[in-house]
Amino acid sequence: MGTSIVFANQKGGVGKTTTAVNLGAYLAKMGNQVLLVDFDSQGNLSSSVGADKSKQGIYEAMTGNAEIESIIQRTPLVNLSIVPSNINLTGAGVEFVNEENREHFLEKTLAGIKSSWDYIFIDCPPSLGILTLNGLTAADEIIIPLQCEYYALEGLNLLLQTIQMVKQSLNPSLKVCGILFTMYDSRTKLANEVVHEVTGYFKDKVFRTVIPRNVKLSEAPSHGLPISEYDAECIGALSYEALAKEVMARA
């Protein structure tokens, strides 16, 4: 049985999608079968691997209009595939809100294919709404990308409260795989203070690997490629490769 990991943070622009695609790519290059699930209507994860967003996606699978197996698309990397998202997912939060067991739609959708993959990565939208709750309910573990800035700490507390609520009522087995510092700039005092404070409090829940600010990481999605294929020698690529090794070691 594979491990499903959700990438969540209600704050946008913290590196959720960047981490999902690049960590997934390196795990795939290490021989793991990896499935990316784009669970954000913006479809950035789909774009990051050149997926066709005009085709049926996760929304159609959850609503019973498509079989999950039929919508999986291959990516340019061996061992890395994706369930894409499209604009139809935008209305899902409203459609599901009055449905019974509304937090379990994604879990049920993925249940039949979970054993076929070593890792299933779920990239959630930047909110704590019904879609993110579905992601947290469907996952075994959560990775929390955390930008090295002051407001990130306030958002982290709210996210951890949500995780605790999910564990109590929806998914008792959910655990924090790790907190990942992203967009780190060692030259700024604040970034170092955030790293020191969070690491001091959460200790071994914080990944040793830190993802630095890197222009190449920002450029890669526009080419529809993970950083491993766009520029494998840049500091961003080397950091995500190190993170992949750390994630496998924690398994």
Side-chain angles (χ1 to χ4, degrees), residues 10 152-162 201-202:
Q10 70 273 26
L153 299 179
E154 292 185 345
L156 179 60
N157 286 328
L158 181 57
L159 178 58
L160 291 173
Q161 290 174 20
T162 302
Y201 186 79
F202 292 101

Side-chain angles (χ1 to χ4, degrees), residues 28-191:
K29 288 174 79 71
M30 292 172 183
N32 298 284
Q33 294 291 329
V34 181
L35 179 66
L36 306 175
V37 178
D38 191 344
F39 208 44
D40 187 343
S41 61
Q42 296 180 76
N44 291 337
L45 185 63
S46 301
S47 299
S48 295
V49 291
D52 186 349
K53 294 190 286 185
S54 68
K55 294 185 176 180
Q56 290 183 313
I58 189 62
Y59 172 81
E60 286 75 21
M62 287 198 302
T63 54
N65 294 310
E67 294 295 327
I68 185 69
E69 295 88 351
S70 70
I71 62 172
I72 295 173
Q73 297 183 27
R74 294 182 180 274
T75 77
L77 271 74
V78 176
N79 299 333
L80 184 69
S81 299
I82 186 167
V83 173
S85 173
N86 57 45
I87 196 65
N88 294 336
L89 191 62
T90 304
V94 176
E95 292 177 41
F96 294 166
V97 71
N98 292 320
E99 295 287 336
E100 187 177 356
N101 296 318
R102 57 186 178 272
E103 298 92 352
H104 295 272
F105 276 79
L106 182 61
E107 178 187 19
K108 293 176 180 177
T109 301
L110 298 177
I113 62 170
K114 189 173 181 181
S115 61
S116 301
W117 304 89
D118 296 309
Y119 292 96
I120 296 178
F121 283 0
I122 304 165
D123 184 32
C124 288
S127 73
L128 293 179
I130 190 64
L131 292 182
T132 296
L133 287 177
N134 264 264
L136 292 169
T137 302
D140 301 308
E141 303 178 8
I142 176 173
I143 288 179
I144 305 171
L146 192 69
Q147 192 174 353
C148 299
E149 61 173 32
Y150 172 74
Y151 292 113
L153 299 179
E154 292 185 345
L156 179 60
N157 286 328
L158 181 57
L159 178 58
L160 291 173
Q161 290 174 20
T162 302
I163 292 170
Q164 193 58 37
M165 180 205 74
V166 169
K167 289 182 68 172
Q168 290 174 354
S169 59
L170 298 169
N171 183 5
S173 62
L174 179 66
K175 68 177 184 178
V176 175
C177 177
I179 297 170
L180 175 68
F181 293 117
T182 61
M183 304 179 193
Y184 174 69
D185 186 344
S186 62
R187 299 170 297 178
T188 68
K189 180 180 178 182
L190 179 58

